[in-house]
Amino acid sequence: MIDVLVVDDDVLVARINAAYVAKVPGFRVAATAHSTAEALTVLDGQPVDLILLDHYLPDENGLAAVRELRARGHQCDVMMVTAARDVATVQAAMRHGALQYLVKPFNFAGLRAKLEAYAPLRETLANGGEAEQAEVDRIFGLLAAGAVAPDLPKGHSPTTAELVRQVLLAADGPLSAQEIAERAGVSRQTAQRYLKLLERTDRVRLSLRYGETGRPEHRYTWAPSPHTG
């Protein structure tokens, strides 16, 4: 069983998230906490495998919480579960070692997809040993599983697809391919390639905006599937 610590400042939300976790086979809730201090107290008293961590906590934010738990030697995995949509926070979470980032609001299917992607990753890493390039690619591919299309065509990176998704999720409205490229830190050509792929799989919605020249500008928004959250 994978033991999970659910951390959210809202008691009701923490209870709902814990109930979601308990419904996924192979996972169980070890404890819930509503602040960084409570979470660290739990971790100091018992080991857990995974933390579902909110960013907006009453004492320190989620990123500070991750820094503190690492400083104390806790090596448990972290999945950010938060309403924080700005790309800077998403990027900082990645740099701090968060394996997944789930944006609120979400449904049970959305969280289940993340947990089901995490389970084989944990099993793979637990086996230890050395990894050839194909195995390394598979491990990193598992990090993005459940977020975008699970079976990307050859030549497409799950990491880049996930980055484009996070940019669209963080946006206040439709974005152009150029705006997405700038925010994701990729070329416009790369952004357009992934946007076309995601549009074909109904994960991105395309709209047209007409300017003074009369030539429409393509604008994109994220269109989550009801089955994946």
Side-chain angles (χ1 to χ4, degrees):
M1 296 291 287
I2 296 174
D3 289 316
V4 182
L5 169 60
V6 177
V7 184
D8 198 290
D9 67 318
D10 189 310
V11 176
L12 178 59
V13 171
R15 188 178 302 135
I16 292 172
N17 289 349
Y20 282 170
V21 170
K23 291 171 63 177
V24 181
F27 290 82
R28 65 186 174 193
V29 178
T32 59
H34 310 296
S35 67
T36 297
E38 286 184 22
L40 291 172
T41 297
V42 171
L43 292 172
D44 287 339
Q46 67 182 100
V48 302
D49 302 307
L50 175 67
I51 305 176
L52 297 190
L53 182 63
D54 188 18
H55 182 61
Y56 298 118
L57 298 172
D59 43 6
E60 293 184 284
N61 65 39
L63 298 179
V66 175
R67 287 195 297 269
E68 181 61 25
L69 69 89
R70 295 296 184 233
R72 296 192 184 194
H74 299 299
Q75 299 302 316
C76 46
D77 295 321
V78 175
M79 182 184 300
M80 298 294 292
V81 180
T82 176
R85 293 170 172 264
D86 59 288
V87 174
T89 300
V90 175
Q91 190 176 51
M94 294 172 63
R95 288 173 176 169
H96 281 73
L99 291 182
Q100 292 279 16
Y101 197 106
L102 184 58
V103 178
K104 295 179 181 178
F106 57 86
N107 56 22
F108 169 62
L111 179 58
R112 181 181 61 194
K114 295 290 188 183
L115 294 177
E116 289 178 345
Y118 168 76
L121 170 64
R122 178 175 175 78
E123 181 179 358
T124 297
L125 296 179
N127 290 332
E130 296 184 349
E132 299 295 336
Q133 184 62 52
E135 179 69 3
V136 172
D137 291 342
R138 192 179 78 82
I139 291 171
F140 276 88
L142 287 170
L143 296 180
V148 195
D151 298 313
L152 292 173
K154 185 177 180 180
H156 288 77
S157 163
T159 303
T160 303
E162 173 67 2
L163 190 57
V164 170
R165 184 184 84 100
Q166 293 294 350
V167 168
L168 290 169
L169 285 173
D172 294 328
L175 297 176
S176 67
Q178 182 61 40
E179 290 170 328
I180 293 167
E182 291 172 355
R183 298 186 188 191
V186 299
S187 69
R188 179 189 175 96
Q189 182 181 16
T190 296
Q192 288 178 322
R193 185 158 61 98
Y194 281 84
L195 287 167
K196 288 179 180 179
L197 169 66
L198 294 171
E199 183 191 354
R200 287 199 302 270
T201 56
D202 296 323
R203 307 313 303 276
V204 163
R205 184 177 297 114
L206 170 65
S207 59
L208 300 179
R209 186 175 74 176
Y210 291 86
E212 295 179 357
T213 62
R215 184 176 181 178
E217 179 185 44
H218 289 190
R219 311 283 290 182
Y220 301 90
T221 54
W222 184 254
S225 164
H227 301 294
T228 57

